C-alpha cells in the first residue's frame, strides 16, 4: 500500500524535524498516530498469533450452551479480526482509519487483540520473491520476506 507508506514516512519526517536532536526519540512515538493505525491494521489483517488456547476457570455460558470449568477453549484471533459482523464486509481491505482515536472509542475492547525500523531507511518488498502463509503457532511465511533497504 504505497500511498499509506508515503503518508507514514511524511509523518515520521515531520515528527523527526520537530525534535531538538533531529532523531526519533521514545517520547515521540505517541505522535506517530497514522503509523500506529497502519501497524494495528496490518496486525489485524495478518495476525501474528492466529489462535490461542485458554482453560476456563469457571463455567462459561455462550448462547445457552454451558462450557464446563476446566475446558480447553480455542479462540481464533484470525477469525475475530476478519469477522464481517465486527469489521464490515470490507474486512479484508487495508483501512488504517479503523484505528483512529474516535473509532477505537467506539470499538468493543475485545474486537482487536493481535497477540499476547528505523527512520533512515525505506523498505520495499522483493516482488520477485513468492510469499506464502504458513499456519503455525505463530503466523509466518514459509520462506521469509525479502526486503531491500536503501538510504533516503
Amino acid at each position: 500500500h504505497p500511498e499509506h507508506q508515503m503518508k507514514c514516512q511524511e509523518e515520521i519526517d515531520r515528527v523527526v524535524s520537530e525534535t531538538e536532536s533531529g532523531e526519533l526519540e521514545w517520547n515521540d512515538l505517541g505522535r506517530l498516530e497514522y503509523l500506529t493505525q497502519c501497524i494495528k491494521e496490518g496486525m489485524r489483517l495478518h495476525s501474528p498469533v492466529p489462535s490461542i488456547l485458554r482453560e476456563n476457570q469457571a463455567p462459561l455460558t455462550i448462547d445457552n450452551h454451558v462450557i464446563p470449568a476446566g475446558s480447553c477453549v480455542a479462540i481464533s484471533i484470525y477469525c475475530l479480526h476478519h469477522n464481517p459482523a465486527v469489521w464490515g464486509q470490507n474486512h479484508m481491505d487495508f483501512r488504517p482509519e479503523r484505528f483512529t482515536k474516535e473509532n477505537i472509542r467506539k470499538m468493543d475492547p475485545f474486537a482487536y487483540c493481535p497477540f499476547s525500523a528505523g527512520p533512515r531507511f525505506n523498505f520495499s518488498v522483493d516482488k520477485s520473491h513468492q510469499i506464502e502463509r504458513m499456519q503455525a503457532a505463530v503466523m509466518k511465511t514459509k520462506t521469509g520476506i525479502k526486503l531491500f533497504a536503501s538510504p533516503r
Side-chain angles (χ1 to χ4, degrees):
H1 304 282
E3 67 280 8
H4 298 291
Q5 181 180 358
M6 186 181 309
K7 196 170 174 181
C8 288
Q9 188 64 61
E10 289 168 358
E11 181 180 59
I12 292 168
D13 290 344
R14 179 186 49 77
V15 169
V16 168
S17 73
E18 294 169 357
T19 65
E20 287 183 29
S21 67
E23 295 183 8
L24 194 61
E25 303 288 341
W26 182 262
N27 292 336
D28 299 320
L29 296 180
R31 297 173 51 207
L32 298 173
E33 292 181 21
Y34 192 73
L35 176 62
T36 300
Q37 292 170 25
C38 288
I39 290 170
K40 287 181 177 182
E41 180 66 349
M43 299 283 272
R44 183 192 70 79
L45 280 171
H46 309 287
S47 305
V49 179
S51 63
I52 55 176
L53 294 174
R54 295 290 184 262
E55 181 180 330
N56 59 321
Q57 301 300 306
L60 178 65
T61 304
I62 300 175
D63 292 333
N64 295 322
H65 178 77
V66 177
I67 301 169
S71 297
C72 187
V73 179
I75 303 164
S76 175
I77 295 173
Y78 183 87
C79 289
L80 169 67
H81 288 173
H82 292 85
N83 183 345
V86 176
W87 300 101
Q89 292 304 313
N90 61 355
H91 61 91
M92 292 302 289
D93 296 345
F94 185 80
R95 299 188 54 209
E97 65 271 15
R98 296 179 206 271
F99 292 96
T100 62
K101 288 179 181 178
E102 180 182 333
N103 286 337
I104 287 176
R105 277 192 291 274
K106 295 185 235 173
M107 191 182 295
D108 183 287
F110 296 106
Y112 173 72
C113 57
F115 47 16
S116 229
R120 293 191 175 99
F121 290 93
N122 291 325
F123 291 96
S124 61
V125 175
D126 180 353
K127 293 185 187 324
S128 68
H129 178 72
Q130 179 71 28
I131 297 173
E132 298 177 64
R133 288 187 181 160
M134 181 175 78
Q135 189 76 20
V138 175
M139 182 84 73
K140 60 183 183 177
T141 67
K142 289 182 181 179
T143 57
I145 297 175
K146 295 183 180 182
L147 296 175
F148 300 104
S150 59
R152 284 198 267 156

